[in-house]
Structure formats: structure tokens, C-alpha cells
Amino acid sequence: MYFALFSHWVSDIFIGALILLMNHSGKYTLRQQQVTSLVFSFLTNWAIVSFLDYVMHSIQIGLVATIILALIFSLIEYACEGLEKDGEKE
């Protein structure tokens, strides 16, 4: 449980640093930064869900279900980030 929380925290820092570097370079559009953030968020969520499925022997989640679950988590994170940014503008 604590490993999943720690790895999620580390992935947020990594994604934030990547977006910061993309902003600083000036070569990437906002849409490219958003897609990159969504893809890396999906990959880290998939790794976390797969790890938890491996560690917890009481449940068995199939590959397709793991991918769908990671995608749902990533979309929720993306939507919540958009709501936070909209709240800061007001």
C-alpha cells in the first residue's frame, strides 16, 4: 500500500518535471504537453495497478481490465488537473 502511494508521488514529480522541461524548451504546444502528461500518467498508473495485482493474492485482474482501470485513473487525474487550473484562474 505504501509503495503504491510512494510510486504515485514519484510519478507526479517526474511528470511535473517533464512538463516543466517541455515548457522551458518552447518547442512543444500545450496540446503536446497535455498528451505527454496523459500518456505518462497512464503508464505509471498501469504499473501501480499491475504491481498491486501482483502483490495482492486475494484478487486477480486481467490485462485488459488493468489497462482500462489505469486509463480511467489517468482520465480522472487529467480532468481534476483541469478543474484545479480553472479554479486558479477565477
Side-chain angles (χ1 to χ4, degrees):
M1 178 69 177
Y2 294 113
F3 176 78
L5 293 174
F6 176 74
S7 62
H8 189 68
W9 180 72
V10 169
S11 70
D12 284 345
I13 290 174
F14 175 73
I15 292 169
L18 183 64
I19 296 301
L20 184 68
L21 289 173
M22 291 176 78
N23 276 336
H24 186 67
S25 72
K27 295 181 181 180
Y28 302 97
T29 64
L30 179 62
R31 179 63 63 194
Q32 289 172 328
Q33 293 173 10
Q34 290 171 338
V35 169
T36 301
S37 174
L38 187 63
V39 167
F40 277 102
S41 177
F42 165 73
L43 291 174
T44 56
N45 284 330
W46 186 18
I48 291 169
V49 171
S50 296
F51 175 77
L52 291 176
D53 181 42
Y54 175 74
V55 171
M56 296 177 64
H57 300 288
S58 61
I59 60 170
Q60 291 292 324
I61 302 175
L63 178 64
V64 175
T66 304
I67 292 172
I68 291 171
L69 189 61
L71 182 61
I72 290 170
F73 287 157
S74 299
L75 291 173
I76 290 172
E77 285 179 22
Y78 179 74
C80 289
E81 287 175 4
L83 292 175
E84 289 175 3
K85 290 179 183 175
D86 289 342
E88 290 175 2
K89 290 180 183 177
E90 295 176 5

